[in-house]
Amino acid sequence: SYELTQPPSVSVSPGQTATITCSGDALPKQYAYWYQQKPGQAPVLVIYKDSERPSGIPERFSGSSSGTTVTLTISGVQAEDEADYYCQSADSSGTYVVFGGGTKLTVL
Amino acid sequence: QVQLQESGPGLVKPSDTLSLTCTVSGYSISSGYFWGWIRQPPGKGLEWIGSIYHFGSTYYNPSLKSRVTISLDTSKNQFSLKLSSVTAADTAVYYCARGPAQLERDRFVYYYMDVWGKGTTVTVSS
């Protein structure tokens, strides 16, 4: 079955830039999406179609894609950005949805 | 403002069928979008269970497909999940979500979840 691979954890100091990667063989053919999940809360969409930002999401959140890797970048990280982040995409044939294993972002 | 609310039993016995309903307010589910179910076992990541398009076609996680049924009730503006033959491994927080999507020849061009319910905890135990 198809898998998306994320680093389990990323740590960054306030004000610095956090980068979270997601790798998968089908990513050149399928869009990627990113969700932020804080403890006890439902996920929130922060990036869609690789690099589009929904209304209400701060500009410091951005996404990019290169080959089999997509990246979520958070510029000028704030304490409130501490959360789990999940990438999501579809398999190469576009018949089922997959989530990455999640990355815990710690703001030091 | 679109809102989704999950409901159903919080405790299910092993080998029984788990049944959950998602009630949608602020939007008619027959008008568009995919409507899906996602779950999260305690301390673990998100797992897509399956989704149903507004005109009724369904897509399921291959690993769960033999046990899952998702259906629409447009008269009540609800959609439902049934998961049969549950075990302790099915213990999780279950979320419903709305999904913008585009299909081409029944395959996703894009599909993501833009509005989520708060989630409901289901425990499988005797």
Side-chain angles (χ1 to χ4, degrees), chain B residues 49-100:
Chain B
I49 300 170
S51 303
I52 186 166
Y53 210 16
H54 64 97
F55 52 76
S57 59
T58 52
Y59 292 74
Y60 297 132
N61 185 325
S63 68
L64 299 170
K65 187 173 183 176
S66 64
R67 299 194 291 132
V68 174
T69 302
I70 296 175
S71 59
L72 293 173
D73 186 342
T74 55
S75 67
K76 296 181 180 179
N77 217 38
Q78 297 174 335
F79 61 104
S80 299
L81 167 70
K82 291 188 185 300
L83 181 66
S84 64
S85 305
V86 297
T87 69
D90 296 309
T91 293
V93 176
Y94 285 75
Y95 296 99
C96 59
R98 184 183 79 167

Side-chain angles (χ1 to χ4, degrees), chain A residues 36-108:
Chain A
Q36 176 194 68
Q37 186 181 33
K38 296 182 179 180
Q41 297 183 19
V44 172
L45 179 72
V46 294
I47 294 290
Y48 66 100
K49 292 184 182 179
D50 292 345
S51 59
E52 301 293 320
R53 194 173 52 250
S55 61
I57 299 302
E59 291 184 7
R60 63 180 182 273
F61 288 87
S62 63
S64 62
S65 175
S66 179
T68 59
T69 300
V70 294
T71 302
L72 173 68
T73 301
I74 311 173
S75 304
V77 167
Q78 300 182 7
E80 67 197 50
D81 300 329
E82 186 164 283
D84 293 326
Y85 290 85
Y86 293 91
C87 61
Q88 176 240 308
S89 187
D91 70 303
S92 58
S93 62
T95 57
Y96 65 89
V97 171
V98 180
F99 285 96
T103 299
K104 182 175 181 59
L105 175 66
T106 299
V107 181
L108 301 170

Side-chain angles (χ1 to χ4, degrees), chain B residues 11-60:
Chain B
L11 181 64
V12 181
K13 288 183 168 52
S15 79
D16 282 357
T17 295
L18 178 161
S19 296
L20 296 175
T21 296
C22 183
T23 300
V24 180
S25 59
Y27 188 84
S28 171
I29 63 173
S30 60
S31 296
Y33 291 101
F34 264 89
W35 304 93
W37 291 95
I38 304 94
R39 69 181 183 180
Q40 186 170 35
K44 296 188 177 181
L46 301 170
E47 180 180 34
W48 176 70
I49 300 170
S51 303
I52 186 166
Y53 210 16
H54 64 97
F55 52 76
S57 59
T58 52
Y59 292 74
Y60 297 132

